[in-house]
Amino acid sequence: MMHFNIFLSGEIHSSWRDNLIQKAEKLNLPVDFSGPVTDHDASDNIGVNALGDEPQSFWKDHKAAKINAVRIKNGIENADLVVIKFGEKYRQWNAAFDAGYAAALGKSYIVIHPEDFTHALKEVDAQAMAVARDEDQVIEMLQYLSQK
Amino acid sequence: MMHFNIFLSGEIHSSWRDNLIQKAEKLNLPVDFSGPVTDHDASDNIGVNALGDEPQSFWKDHKAAKINAVRIKNGIENADLVVIKFGEKYRQWNAAFDAGYAAALGKSYIVIHPEDFTHALKEVDAQAMAVARDEDQVIEMLQYLSQK
Amino acid sequence: MMHFNIFLSGEIHSSWRDNLIQKAEKLNLPVDFSGPVTDHDASDNIGVNALGDEPQSFWKDHKAAKINAVRIKNGIENADLVVIKFGEKYRQWNAAFDAGYAAALGKSYIVIHPEDFTHALKEVDAQAMAVARDEDQVIEMLQYLSQK
Amino acid sequence: MMHFNIFLSGEIHSSWRDNLIQKAEKLNLPVDFSGPVTDHDASDNIGVNALGDEPQSFWKDHKAAKINAVRIKNGIENADLVVIKFGEKYRQWNAAFDAGYAAALGKSYIVIHPEDFTHALKEVDAQAMAVARDEDQVIEMLQYLSQK
Amino acid sequence: MMHFNIFLSGEIHSSWRDNLIQKAEKLNLPVDFSGPVTDHDASDNIGVNALGDEPQSFWKDHKAAKINAVRIKNGIENADLVVIKFGEKYRQWNAAFDAGYAAALGKSYIVIHPEDFTHALKEVDAQAMAVARDEDQVIEMLQYLSQK
Amino acid sequence: MMHFNIFLSGEIHSSWRDNLIQKAEKLNLPVDFSGPVTDHDASDNIGVNALGDEPQSFWKDHKAAKINAVRIKNGIENADLVVIKFGEKYRQWNAAFDAGYAAALGKSYIVIHPEDFTHALKEVDAQAMAVARDEDQVIEMLQYLSQK
Amino acid sequence: MMHFNIFLSGEIHSSWRDNLIQKAEKLNLPVDFSGPVTDHDASDNIGVNALGDEPQSFWKDHKAAKINAVRIKNGIENADLVVIKFGEKYRQWNAAFDAGYAAALGKSYIVIHPEDFTHALKEVDAQAMAVARDEDQVIEMLQYLSQK
Amino acid sequence: MMHFNIFLSGEIHSSWRDNLIQKAEKLNLPVDFSGPVTDHDASDNIGVNALGDEPQSFWKDHKAAKINAVRIKNGIENADLVVIKFGEKYRQWNAAFDAGYAAALGKSYIVIHPEDFTHALKEVDAQAMAVARDEDQVIEMLQYLSQK
């Protein structure tokens, strides 16, 4: 069996990570998952919570985004595979940023997105190793890839 | 003087690149610019134009995006500085992808975006060397950076 | 003892991998093996099986080859040594591709091929650390290399 | 205009390189081409010609292939784009080796091959930025990619 | 949970490392710490102690600093995160050197320093992922970053 | 003759760069120099001058230091040799940061500093290719290194 | 404690490796050692033993040296520290080769050699982190470096 | 034609570099040569000449070797090909060091040495792209490699 460390990037407003992790566990797949902090509020406020108030929202966001980057960068750099989900809501520029980051490091990544994002995500899809519609398709690939 | 090769990534629906290039020329800045192909139609159709029709739009986009990637990847890798503009329209995931790509390569990049994108672009801004509002601010930095 | 992670690339139509693995196990060599998925049918169809039908065979193959690349790339990048077998059948361009990939990463690789491929494989052999005729020769080298 | 250094790998038994170069010159494309030595006889014998006879054909080939590798490795490493043609004749494992080498370095490459090689070359095509049928298609892409 | 290997660079004249380590242990954070040798005397004299006397203080320091570099370089290169404290005393150029070293390797680092060093440390802070005032702020970030 | 691109880092409060450049010009040495912006006021204020006011001095410094980093990073990365001067005044943590940055990139660097900094700079000196007292010693080395 | 993987390169005609390993074990140092195969005869003949006779001594040596390189390259690349001993006998060009290899990878290395080799080994010593006279000095450094 | 930057390493006690350069010039080969400083006396004394006396010969050599390393490292890193000659005299560990350095960087190198060094240089030859007996053989290869 081949073991994979997988970083789950992108959407943090649905339970897709738990969904994927539970299915992988049920199948006993030899994979380990990591991802960003998904508590949206904690994530937005970690900068000011840890380091003190910022009157300007730009710097509040800046401090939070940098602290989060410690975890995300670490997760992508230690991953054998990155799975990136683009959901229906928000602009999710961070998901596309992570895809570009993974691509430049030569890391394999798989994208999950609805069909109607096809044209808008064509540059992200172009460097992906697979473009899936949902978690089940990802599980099918992981089951295949991690077999004996 | 320090010379800079600058790749202009992001928005292709306004004339911001020409605006920036003309201002830099007027000031005789020691900079060279490159960028993606900005003819939107040609860019969308280069895959099928060069390599033959595709009945499915996914593969039509895929072929085009990969050919465009030859130029974009080359431009970013040869750049000393990447300037990335996020405009008001479209999702512009390719702009965020280029930012992530530049970040992972350790390339300096500068972002231009309207103030109301601050929260949505916080991860992209966090790795930027500067966040500008318009081309004039970029020119002021280039004039400073390329001085004797 | 020196431990080696070994990726077994190339021919998937004979049982050479099992042969090699069993001999290594019998000798208790401190080596771990990985390799591509060797179920030929599953390998050819994983793209359409996981991600949906493709009317054109080019895209069917394309989707499968990219998913397989996740495993192969991962295997080569984590290997201390790559062993690549060229068998009598098929063109096996993927085996030569893996050799080039390993060479560019600075990974040591050993080639197994029949004597009559000598001229055709000269570029692949030129970068190899050894050119063997069969699995027994590889076992002899592994036994030597992994000794105390 | 964006300039490209292009290494022409693969088939050395047809005049496809001259064909491509002449078309690029006629169109004044801002591209420079390099490639392996294409004099087949000189290429096979450079080892013994420069360094002295070898009674065994393996070592004769070995010495030649290594000297040729100095030029090929140099060409690929200095290229912005590699174009690799698989012709109808011979096994051409060196072409697939060059593709793997380029892929591992993160170099963009374009493949030219007849349609009936689709299945056999799927791993090589999977990492390519484009799969063309002939030199004209490559010229069309180069004209597009190197425009202002 | 995400595990972090953390190298503690900088000031060796206070007990900030022990302070940080004890707090992390009390919270059961999934982190491992390493750092330079903090026995000041042993550190200054390791060169002459291990390798023989030096009449000139430059070479005495030189031999010691190189031996210490074996540990520091190893610690930074194996770290997922570097925490660098600038204390009130001494010039601490080694702390700034480590920050530059980490930055060039693309390693995330966090700086701890008193507010009145803000201007003098602006280049070091500019590449940091966070600028903290004390160990408690670092613990708060580590607790956040290493959560499930 | 061997040409050298040399980045002059460190002290910006004396005319040592002009001194070095003029001596090199008089000797017709095949060297090109670059360095940071040395107009101290412009350097401190470029952040707010280009991008708008900051009420907090931390962020004012932060914006300036990042813009300056575009030039410094570019200069070091394109240099064959970095010369770093530590003067008598200020803490000059940026000079030590640049030394660490150069060291991690595998760039050769030469340090200039007064004798009484020997102990405090031992870690910076340990990775240097030479430790000089003044510009004349650097010129003597450059004359030697760039000879036919 | 900081753990070190140490590759022991150079002289294979004395028992210095066993000497060093036993002393490290007695002190319970947190270090792991690896090294080349030190059975001189087996090392010289592994090429022909594993892969078949060679009438010319050049190719006999060539095949052996490449197989040995698999182990040596692997050992150096996985090491945190390389210790290289130059003994009184033989030319030991392989020891100097390993030093250059380690230096280019940015690996710390320590050299052991008799005093009268000082001038001849100056280029090798110049990139070393320490130059020792015997194993005891190395043990003293390892004890220091691996302390808590 | 393919241009090559060639660094000439090794023996500095014969005129082999001039010999090679003159022959290349006569043939108008598109190659540029660089190399270490070959004035033996100047090379041994540059450390004390530029930076002041050293009572101990170890440090005198050390200072000289490091300054020379600035040129050698620069030359190898900018070279497309390294040619390394081992002559009859001296131990020439620096030549083997340069070979190892080039090998680890993935640089092609060619060795020139007398036949009786075959066994002693087997590790250096094993990673070489060619092993020549004299400058004429190198010229023949360069003429071949740099042809149209």
Side-chain angles (χ1 to χ4, degrees):
Chain A
M1 283 189 304
M2 188 177 276
H3 182 273
F4 288 90
N5 288 316
I6 301 174
F7 186 79
L8 302 175
S9 168
E11 197 192 37
I12 63 167
H13 304 90
S14 75
S15 57
W16 73 280
R17 282 183 187 78
D18 291 336
N19 184 14
L20 195 64
I21 293 170
Q22 281 162 21
K23 281 175 172 158
E25 279 174 358
K26 201 175 290 178
L27 291 162
N28 278 318
L29 300 186
V31 296
D32 281 311
F33 293 102
S34 64
V37 172
T38 54
D39 174 339
H40 201 170
D41 241 45
S43 167
D44 274 2
N45 292 303
I46 179 61
V48 295
N49 285 350
L51 301 172
D53 248 19
E54 286 298 329
Q56 289 174 272
S57 64
F58 180 86
W59 296 118
K60 181 194 163 194
D61 279 339
H62 200 69
K63 281 160 73 167
K66 280 192 163 172
I67 295 173
N68 282 308
V70 173
R71 178 165 165 138
I72 293 169
K73 220 166 89 79
N74 196 41
I76 295 179
E77 285 166 11
N78 291 333
D80 302 309
L81 176 63
V82 182
V83 177
I84 308 167
K85 176 156 190 174
F86 289 82
E88 300 284 357
K89 290 198 287 188
Y90 303 98
R91 289 177 177 269
Q92 307 174 83
W93 279 318
N94 62 315
F97 182 87
D98 286 356
Y101 198 89
L105 294 181
K107 298 274 174 190
S108 297
Y109 68 86
I110 289 173
V111 184
I112 309 174
H113 68 72
E115 192 170 2
D116 53 307
F117 286 2
T118 292
H119 189 65
L121 277 171
K122 62 184 180 298
E123 288 88 359
V124 172
D125 289 355
Q127 312 285 333
M129 300 312 265
V131 179
R133 286 290 166 262
D134 55 36
E135 289 76 65
D136 286 344
Q137 292 190 334
V138 173
I139 286 291
E140 187 149 356
M141 286 186 275
L142 293 182
Q143 196 169 7
Y144 170 80
L145 286 168
S146 64
Q147 73 185 262
K148 225 209 119 199
Chain B
M1 282 188 305
M2 188 176 279
H3 181 273
F4 288 90
N5 288 316
I6 302 173
F7 186 79
L8 302 174
S9 169
E11 196 190 41
I12 64 168
H13 305 91
S14 76
S15 56
W16 73 278
R17 283 183 186 77
D18 290 337
N19 184 14
L20 195 65
I21 294 170
Q22 281 163 22
K23 282 173 173 159
E25 278 173 0
K26 201 174 288 177
L27 292 162
N28 278 318
L29 300 186
V31 295
D32 281 310
F33 293 103
S34 64
V37 171
T38 54
D39 175 340
H40 200 171
D41 240 45
S43 168
D44 274 3
N45 293 301
I46 179 61
V48 295
N49 285 351
L51 299 173
D53 250 19
E54 286 298 330
Q56 290 174 270
S57 64
F58 181 86
W59 296 119
K60 182 194 162 191
D61 279 339
H62 200 70
K63 281 159 72 167
K66 279 191 164 171
I67 296 173
N68 281 308
V70 173
R71 178 164 165 142
I72 293 168
K73 219 166 89 80
N74 197 41
I76 294 177
E77 285 166 11
N78 291 333
D80 302 309
L81 176 63
V82 180
V83 178
I84 308 168
K85 176 157 191 173
F86 289 81
E88 300 283 358
K89 288 197 290 188
Y90 302 98
R91 288 177 179 267
Q92 307 174 82
W93 280 317
N94 62 313
F97 182 88
D98 286 357
Y101 198 90
L105 295 180
K107 297 275 172 189
S108 297
Y109 68 86
I110 290 173
V111 185
I112 310 174
H113 67 73
E115 193 170 0
D116 52 310
F117 286 1
T118 292
H119 189 65
L121 277 172
K122 63 183 179 301
E123 287 89 359
V124 172
D125 289 355
Q127 312 285 332
M129 300 312 265
V131 179
R133 286 289 164 264
D134 55 37
E135 289 76 64
D136 285 345
Q137 293 190 335
V138 174
I139 286 291
E140 187 148 354
M141 287 185 274
L142 293 182
Q143 197 169 5
Y144 170 79
L145 286 168
S146 64
Q147 73 186 262
K148 223 207 121 200
Chain C
M1 285 187 302
M2 188 177 278
H3 182 273
F4 288 90
N5 289 316
I6 302 174
F7 186 79
L8 302 174
S9 168
E11 198 192 35
I12 63 169
H13 305 89
S14 76
S15 56
W16 73 279
R17 283 183 185 78
D18 291 336
N19 184 15
L20 195 65
I21 293 170
Q22 282 163 20
K23 282 173 173 159
E25 279 173 358
K26 201 174 290 177
L27 291 162
N28 277 319
L29 300 185
V31 295
D32 282 310
F33 293 103
S34 64
V37 173
T38 55
D39 175 340
H40 201 170
D41 240 45
S43 168
D44 274 2
N45 293 302
I46 179 62
V48 295
N49 285 351
L51 301 172
D53 250 18
E54 285 298 329
Q56 289 174 272
S57 65
F58 180 85
W59 297 118
K60 181 193 162 192
D61 279 340
H62 199 70
K63 282 160 71 168
K66 280 192 163 170
I67 295 172
N68 282 306
V70 173
R71 178 164 164 142
I72 294 169
K73 219 167 89 80
N74 197 41
I76 295 178
E77 285 166 10
N78 291 334
D80 302 309
L81 175 64
V82 181
V83 177
I84 308 168
K85 176 156 191 174
F86 289 81
E88 300 284 357
K89 290 197 287 187
Y90 302 98
R91 290 177 176 269
Q92 307 174 81
W93 279 317
N94 61 315
F97 182 88
D98 286 356
Y101 198 89
L105 295 180
K107 297 275 173 190
S108 297
Y109 69 87
I110 289 173
V111 184
I112 308 174
H113 67 73
E115 193 169 1
D116 53 306
F117 285 3
T118 292
H119 189 65
L121 277 171
K122 62 184 180 298
E123 288 88 359
V124 172
D125 289 354
Q127 313 284 334
M129 300 312 264
V131 179
R133 286 290 166 262
D134 54 36
E135 289 76 65
D136 285 345
Q137 293 190 334
V138 174
I139 286 292
E140 187 149 356
M141 288 185 274
L142 293 182
Q143 197 169 5
Y144 170 80
L145 286 167
S146 64
Q147 73 186 261
K148 223 207 121 197
Chain D
M1 283 188 304
M2 188 177 278
H3 182 273
F4 288 90
N5 288 317
I6 301 173
F7 186 78
L8 302 174
S9 169
E11 196 192 40
I12 64 168
H13 305 91
S14 76
S15 56
W16 73 278
R17 283 184 185 77
D18 291 337
N19 184 14
L20 195 65
I21 294 170
Q22 281 163 21
K23 282 175 172 158
E25 278 173 359
K26 201 175 288 176
L27 291 163
N28 278 319
L29 300 185
V31 295
D32 281 310
F33 293 103
S34 64
V37 172
T38 55
D39 175 338
H40 200 170
D41 241 45
S43 167
D44 274 2
N45 293 301
I46 179 61
V48 295
N49 284 351
L51 301 172
D53 249 19
E54 287 297 330
Q56 290 174 270
S57 65
F58 181 87
W59 296 118
K60 183 194 160 191
D61 280 339
H62 200 69
K63 281 159 72 167
K66 279 192 165 172
I67 296 173
N68 282 308
V70 173
R71 178 164 165 142
I72 293 169
K73 221 167 87 79
N74 197 40
I76 295 178
E77 285 166 10
N78 291 333
D80 302 310
L81 176 64
V82 180
V83 177
I84 307 168
K85 177 158 190 174
F86 289 81
E88 299 284 357
K89 289 197 289 187
Y90 303 97
R91 289 178 178 268
Q92 307 174 82
W93 280 318
N94 62 314
F97 182 88
D98 286 356
Y101 198 90
L105 294 180
K107 297 275 174 189
S108 297
Y109 68 87
I110 289 173
V111 184
I112 310 175
H113 68 72
E115 193 169 0
D116 53 309
F117 286 1
T118 293
H119 189 64
L121 278 171
K122 62 184 180 299
E123 288 88 359
V124 173
D125 289 355
Q127 312 284 332
M129 300 313 264
V131 179
R133 286 289 165 262
D134 56 36
E135 290 76 65
D136 286 345
Q137 292 189 334
V138 174
I139 286 291
E140 187 148 356
M141 286 185 274
L142 293 182
Q143 197 169 6
Y144 170 79
L145 285 168
S146 64
Q147 72 186 263
K148 226 210 118 195
Chain E
M1 283 187 304
M2 189 177 277
H3 182 274
F4 288 89
N5 288 316
I6 302 174
F7 186 79
L8 302 175
S9 169
E11 196 191 38
I12 63 168
H13 305 89
S14 75
S15 57
W16 73 279
R17 282 182 187 78
D18 291 336
N19 184 14
L20 195 64
I21 292 171
Q22 282 163 20
K23 282 175 172 158
E25 278 173 0
K26 200 174 291 180
L27 291 163
N28 278 319
L29 299 186
V31 296
D32 281 310
F33 293 103
S34 63
V37 172
T38 55
D39 175 339
H40 201 171
D41 241 44
S43 168
D44 273 3
N45 293 302
I46 179 62
V48 295
N49 285 350
L51 300 172
D53 248 19
E54 287 298 329
Q56 291 174 270
S57 65
F58 180 86
W59 296 118
K60 182 194 162 192
D61 280 338
H62 199 69
K63 281 160 72 167
K66 279 193 165 171
I67 295 173
N68 282 307
V70 173
R71 179 164 163 141
I72 294 169
K73 220 167 86 79
N74 197 40
I76 295 179
E77 285 167 10
N78 291 332
D80 303 309
L81 176 63
V82 181
V83 177
I84 307 167
K85 176 156 190 173
F86 289 81
E88 300 283 358
K89 289 196 289 188
Y90 303 99
R91 289 176 178 270
Q92 308 173 81
W93 280 316
N94 62 315
F97 182 87
D98 286 355
Y101 199 89
L105 294 181
K107 297 274 173 190
S108 297
Y109 68 87
I110 289 173
V111 184
I112 309 175
H113 68 72
E115 192 168 2
D116 53 309
F117 286 1
T118 292
H119 190 64
L121 277 171
K122 62 183 180 299
E123 288 87 0
V124 173
D125 289 354
Q127 312 285 331
M129 300 312 266
V131 179
R133 286 290 165 263
D134 55 35
E135 290 75 65
D136 286 344
Q137 292 189 335
V138 174
I139 285 291
E140 186 148 357
M141 286 186 274
L142 293 183
Q143 196 168 5
Y144 170 80
L145 285 168
S146 64
Q147 73 187 260
K148 224 209 120 201
Chain F
M1 284 187 305
M2 190 176 276
H3 182 274
F4 288 90
N5 289 316
I6 301 174
F7 186 79
L8 302 173
S9 169
E11 196 192 40
I12 63 169
H13 305 92
S14 75
S15 56
W16 72 279
R17 282 183 187 78
D18 290 337
N19 184 15
L20 195 65
I21 293 170
Q22 281 162 22
K23 282 175 172 158
E25 277 173 359
K26 201 175 288 176
L27 290 163
N28 278 317
L29 299 186
V31 296
D32 281 310
F33 293 103
S34 64
V37 171
T38 55
D39 175 339
H40 201 170
D41 241 45
S43 168
D44 273 3
N45 293 301
I46 179 61
V48 295
N49 284 351
L51 300 172
D53 249 19
E54 286 298 329
Q56 291 174 270
S57 65
F58 181 85
W59 295 119
K60 181 193 162 192
D61 280 338
H62 200 70
K63 281 159 73 166
K66 281 193 163 170
I67 295 172
N68 282 308
V70 173
R71 179 164 165 139
I72 293 168
K73 221 167 87 80
N74 196 41
I76 295 178
E77 285 166 11
N78 291 332
D80 303 309
L81 177 63
V82 181
V83 177
I84 307 168
K85 177 158 190 171
F86 289 81
E88 300 282 359
K89 289 197 288 188
Y90 303 98
R91 289 177 177 268
Q92 308 174 82
W93 280 317
N94 62 315
F97 182 88
D98 285 357
Y101 198 90
L105 295 180
K107 298 276 174 189
S108 297
Y109 68 86
I110 289 172
V111 184
I112 308 174
H113 68 72
E115 192 169 1
D116 53 308
F117 287 2
T118 292
H119 189 64
L121 276 172
K122 61 183 181 300
E123 288 88 358
V124 172
D125 289 355
Q127 312 285 332
M129 301 313 264
V131 179
R133 286 290 165 263
D134 55 35
E135 289 75 65
D136 286 345
Q137 292 190 335
V138 174
I139 285 291
E140 187 149 354
M141 287 185 274
L142 293 182
Q143 196 168 6
Y144 170 79
L145 286 168
S146 64
Q147 72 188 261
K148 222 209 124 202
Chain G
M1 282 187 304
M2 189 176 278
H3 182 272
F4 288 91
N5 288 316
I6 302 175
F7 186 80
L8 302 174
S9 168
E11 197 191 37
I12 64 169
H13 305 90
S14 75
S15 57
W16 72 279
R17 283 184 186 79
D18 291 336
N19 185 14
L20 195 65
I21 294 171
Q22 282 162 21
K23 281 174 172 159
E25 278 173 0
K26 202 174 288 177
L27 292 162
N28 278 319
L29 300 186
V31 296
D32 282 309
F33 293 103
S34 63
V37 172
T38 55
D39 175 338
H40 200 171
D41 241 45
S43 168
D44 274 4
N45 293 302
I46 178 61
V48 295
N49 284 351
L51 300 172
D53 248 21
E54 286 298 329
Q56 290 174 269
S57 64
F58 181 86
W59 296 119
K60 182 195 161 190
D61 280 339
H62 200 69
K63 281 159 71 167
K66 280 191 164 170
I67 295 173
N68 282 307
V70 173
R71 178 162 164 143
I72 294 169
K73 222 167 86 80
N74 196 41
I76 295 178
E77 286 167 10
N78 291 332
D80 302 311
L81 175 64
V82 181
V83 177
I84 307 168
K85 177 157 190 173
F86 289 81
E88 300 283 356
K89 289 197 288 187
Y90 303 97
R91 289 177 178 269
Q92 309 174 80
W93 280 317
N94 61 314
F97 182 88
D98 286 356
Y101 198 89
L105 294 181
K107 298 274 172 190
S108 297
Y109 69 87
I110 289 173
V111 184
I112 309 175
H113 69 72
E115 192 169 2
D116 53 308
F117 286 1
T118 292
H119 190 63
L121 277 172
K122 62 184 181 299
E123 289 87 0
V124 173
D125 289 355
Q127 313 285 331
M129 300 313 264
V131 179
R133 285 290 165 262
D134 55 35
E135 290 75 64
D136 285 345
Q137 293 190 334
V138 174
I139 286 291
E140 187 148 356
M141 286 186 273
L142 293 183
Q143 196 169 5
Y144 170 80
L145 286 168
S146 64
Q147 73 187 259
K148 226 209 116 195
Chain H
M1 284 188 303
M2 189 177 278
H3 182 273
F4 288 90
N5 289 316
I6 301 174
F7 186 79
L8 302 174
S9 169
E11 197 192 37
I12 63 168
H13 306 90
S14 76
S15 57
W16 72 279
R17 283 184 186 77
D18 291 338
N19 185 15
L20 196 64
I21 293 170
Q22 281 162 22
K23 282 175 173 159
E25 277 173 359
K26 201 176 289 176
L27 291 163
N28 278 318
L29 300 186
V31 296
D32 281 311
F33 293 103
S34 64
V37 172
T38 55
D39 175 339
H40 201 170
D41 240 45
S43 168
D44 274 2
N45 293 301
I46 179 60
V48 295
N49 284 351
L51 301 172
D53 249 19
E54 286 297 329
Q56 290 174 269
S57 65
F58 181 86
W59 296 119
K60 182 194 162 193
D61 279 339
H62 200 69
K63 281 160 72 167
K66 279 192 165 171
I67 296 173
N68 282 308
V70 173
R71 179 164 163 141
I72 293 169
K73 222 167 86 81
N74 197 39
I76 295 178
E77 285 167 9
N78 291 332
D80 303 309
L81 176 64
V82 180
V83 177
I84 308 167
K85 176 156 190 173
F86 290 82
E88 300 284 357
K89 290 197 287 188
Y90 303 98
R91 290 176 177 269
Q92 307 174 81
W93 280 317
N94 62 315
F97 182 88
D98 286 357
Y101 198 88
L105 295 181
K107 297 274 173 190
S108 297
Y109 69 86
I110 289 173
V111 184
I112 309 175
H113 68 72
E115 192 170 0
D116 52 307
F117 286 1
T118 292
H119 189 64
L121 278 171
K122 61 184 180 299
E123 288 88 0
V124 172
D125 289 355
Q127 314 283 333
M129 301 312 265
V131 179
R133 286 291 166 261
D134 55 35
E135 290 75 66
D136 285 345
Q137 292 190 335
V138 174
I139 286 291
E140 187 148 355
M141 286 185 276
L142 294 182
Q143 197 169 5
Y144 169 81
L145 285 168
S146 65
Q147 71 186 261
K148 223 209 121 199

